Amino acid sequence: MRRMESTGIIKNAGLKITPQRKVVYEVMMELRHAAIDEIIKCVQSKDNEITISTIYRILDSFCKANLLSLVFHPEVGKSYYDITVTEHHHIFEGESILDYMDEGLTELIRQYLKEKNFASVDISQIQVQITINNPKLNSKK
């Protein structure tokens, strides 16, 4: 990603452009899904002047501005920051997280919930989490 793209995205979210925010956002664009320890390691490898508390504050501001979301990984028991904030699903296989875009599945769930009298509730987002049991990965533990 070019620096101009990250600058525009941060600015369009209503946040002030800072060098630290640019670095954190560009790291997230590279990582896609990442736990806090991995983000800190990558950010500080690019700029060791950015403190851990600054990284936490930036990630929090990005979540509030809808630039990032949090995803809980059921197998690992940790939360991961996710750069994809549009409605989508996740596939968990071992420690990896993959985005799964399926408008048909999302609409099927919306229709099902509507039929079950969720029609009066405004559903803002649907996320399905699919965990794959891969015997090859399990035998390596």
Side-chain angles (χ1 to χ4, degrees):
M1 170 191 280
R2 297 178 312 207
R3 283 203 172 288
M4 290 303 294
E5 289 178 39
S6 62
T7 301
I9 292 168
I10 295 166
K11 186 176 180 178
N12 288 340
L15 298 172
K16 181 180 173 187
I17 306 300
T18 65
Q20 298 86 351
R21 282 187 175 143
K22 287 196 293 190
V23 170
V24 172
Y25 192 78
E26 288 166 4
V27 162
M28 283 306 304
M29 287 301 297
E30 292 170 22
L31 298 174
R32 311 298 302 164
H33 299 97
I36 187 66
D37 51 339
E38 186 178 7
I39 297 167
I40 290 168
K41 180 181 171 187
C42 288
V43 167
Q44 290 185 332
S45 74
K46 294 179 183 293
D47 184 343
N48 64 0
E49 301 274 318
I50 302 175
T51 66
I52 293 172
S53 63
T54 297
I55 296 168
Y56 270 101
R57 281 193 304 276
I58 290 170
L59 292 171
D60 184 53
S61 71
F62 284 174
C63 287
K64 287 178 181 172
N66 201 34
L67 290 177
L68 296 177
S69 63
L70 279 171
V71 176
F72 182 75
H73 193 308
E75 293 291 308
V76 179
K78 291 196 302 190
S79 290
Y80 287 72
Y81 288 90
D82 184 357
I83 194 75
T84 306
V85 294
T86 57
E87 190 169 61
H88 67 287
H89 312 293
H90 292 101
I91 297 175
F92 300 98
E93 185 174 18
E95 292 189 17
S96 68
I97 303 172
L98 302 170
D99 287 336
Y100 177 62
M101 308 295 194
D102 190 331
E103 291 179 22
L105 175 61
T106 304
E107 187 53 39
L108 182 70
I109 294 168
R110 280 190 199 287
Q111 188 61 39
Y112 176 83
L113 293 173
K114 183 178 179 181
E115 291 170 9
K116 297 295 181 182
N117 297 319
F118 273 84
S120 63
V121 177
D122 183 24
I123 299 169
S124 62
Q125 190 174 48
I126 294 174
Q127 287 187 349
V128 174
Q129 296 186 346
I130 302 165
T131 303
I132 295 176
N133 184 14
N134 187 334
K136 291 178 185 176
L137 290 174
N138 293 338
S139 66
K140 292 180 183 178
K141 289 181 180 178

